[in-house]
Amino acid sequence: MKNKIGLVVPLLFVVSTTSGCGSYTVPTFEKSPGLTLVAYAGPTRRAFSYNSATEEHFKQVADAGFTHVLALYDGNCAQGKTLDETLRLRYETAELDSQVALDFCQKYGMKYYVRDWNLYGMSKDVPNDSNIYKLGINELKPEDIAPGSDIQPMVSDDPYGYAMKGVFPDECRYIKHPAYAGSYMFDEPVYSEIKGIGKVVDAYNARMEELNTKGDTYINLLPATSSAISTLGPNGWDGYADKYIEEIGRKVGYLSYDFYPLMGDARNNYIKGLHLYNLQIAAKKCIQNNLELRTYIQTGGDFT
């Protein structure tokens, strides 16, 4: 059996494919015209100290062979006085930022994953100023909230559906852009967050259908470098991946995780052995469930 594999890069990251079914055998790999190479973190208007979303930078990415780009800082974490005002402020900035990247990607034959701070981390179960959990996009009832807390109970019986109308209002242009690949939804969720992400995926897909368009929801898992039950759940990375597949993987058609294996200091350079174990387990899961395998190739530097 021949399987296709690509890898995802953290400056310049890749999406991979492993396909097949039946009993597991040692695979052979071949480069495919269908291999997707995603640049991460790509040029962005919201870099730490400057705007890197220039035509020159997008051309460099395309010339390097990348087919897609994912940037970290479209939009911002603006906070309004209300949930609806916050949704609107963040949407307006994401719309402005993403149009620049989408136009350059279209010009150079690439697709682009938008990271809107309304959507990214929406179901994260730890409230902070970068998500909208504490503004009522949660599944908390009034009796679930401690006295004196600034967390608001869920805004409706369908909080994620409510939020999607603010994330993607009827006039949203970027989701109709020819270069729109989808949206970056969540990075490295812990075990307890996976079920909620599945609900956000459902709400996203429903909203895309309402707006007569579609996109890929990008979700990236933790690597097998932690044994903490609070992080990966009671059955390690194996059970963590199974939970993801059950709640999300079969909906989106892929499994993505990152593992940065290259280590070194002034005297020694080496690769973490756990990297190969993680890759083997992930590949088996994808084969068994007919999913695309996506992972990261560790390089250095980015456009942030």
Side-chain angles (χ1 to χ4, degrees):
M1 175 193 312
K2 281 195 173 181
N3 300 299
K4 300 171 185 175
I5 190 166
L7 300 172
V8 191
V9 188
L11 144 77
L12 301 161
F13 113 159
V14 188
V15 172
S16 256
T17 280
T18 303
S19 60
C21 58
S23 61
Y24 179 75
T25 58
V26 177
T28 58
F29 301 104
E30 62 180 10
K31 186 174 181 179
S32 164
L35 188 68
T36 301
L37 304 176
V38 185
Y40 171 82
T44 176
R45 284 170 59 90
R46 301 287 162 175
F48 291 125
S49 59
Y50 72 107
N51 173 13
S52 64
T54 65
E55 181 170 358
E56 177 186 6
H57 286 154
F58 280 96
K59 184 177 185 301
Q60 288 174 351
V61 173
D63 289 346
F66 291 94
T67 60
H68 291 60
V69 177
L70 187 158
L72 285 178
Y73 299 112
D74 289 338
N76 60 26
C77 299
Q79 291 286 332
K81 295 180 180 179
T82 65
L83 170 62
D84 290 340
E85 185 181 0
T86 298
L87 289 169
R88 188 70 192 179
L89 287 171
R90 295 184 182 189
Y91 157 70
E92 289 173 349
T93 312
E95 182 79 274
L96 176 67
D97 291 354
S98 63
Q99 288 295 331
V100 175
L102 287 162
D103 287 346
F104 284 138
C105 282
Q106 182 182 17
K107 181 174 182 177
Y108 291 104
M110 298 184 293
K111 297 286 188 178
Y112 186 74
Y113 285 99
V114 174
R115 178 172 174 173
D116 181 334
W117 282 94
N118 274 322
L119 181 64
Y120 180 82
M122 181 181 289
S123 60
K124 193 171 183 65
D125 61 8
V126 177
N128 57 53
D129 289 339
S130 67
N131 65 28
I132 50 181
Y133 176 95
K134 68 180 181 180
L135 298 179
I137 304 306
N138 55 52
E139 297 180 71
L140 300 176
K141 297 178 181 178
E143 59 267 28
D144 298 326
I145 300 171
S149 172
D150 63 350
I151 298 174
Q152 300 299 309
M154 61 186 193
V155 68
S156 78
D157 292 338
D158 180 18
Y160 303 129
Y162 181 97
M164 288 300 162
K165 294 183 184 299
V167 178
F168 306 109
D170 293 347
E171 66 271 23
C172 183
R173 293 185 299 127
Y174 74 75
I175 57 173
K176 301 292 185 70
H177 196 288
Y180 177 67
S183 294
Y184 192 13
M185 183 172 285
F186 213 106
D187 186 40
E188 298 187 339
V190 298
Y191 184 89
S192 63
E193 293 171 328
I194 290 175
K195 187 172 183 178
I197 298 170
K199 295 179 181 180
V200 178
V201 170
D202 290 340
Y204 172 90
N205 289 336
R207 185 59 176 156
M208 293 301 103
E209 186 173 350
E210 289 176 355
L211 296 174
N212 194 31
T213 189
K214 59 182 179 180
D216 182 20
T217 53
Y218 201 88
I219 300 145
N220 181 61
L221 298 180
L222 286 159
T225 53
S226 172
S227 59
I229 292 177
S230 61
T231 301
L232 298 183
N235 297 304
W237 200 88
D238 191 275
Y240 173 72
D242 286 342
K243 180 68 172 176
Y244 165 83
I245 291 168
E246 175 188 354
E247 301 287 351
I248 303 169
R250 294 191 180 98
K251 299 175 185 179
V252 299
Y254 68 85
L255 183 155
S256 171
Y257 75 99
D258 57 45
F259 193 118
Y260 306 137
L262 304 180
M263 302 295 293
D265 53 31
R267 297 182 178 181
N268 299 295
N269 296 297
Y270 63 94
I271 295 176
K272 293 179 181 178
L274 194 60
H275 165 61
L276 299 178
Y277 161 81
N278 207 159
L279 184 59
Q280 181 185 44
I281 296 297
K284 285 182 178 180
K285 298 287 185 187
C286 289
I287 290 170
Q288 291 164 357
N289 292 278
N290 195 29
L291 300 178
E292 179 179 279
L293 171 61
R294 304 179 179 185
T295 189
Y296 285 60
I297 296 173
Q298 184 178 5
T299 61
D302 57 31
F303 286 97
T304 62

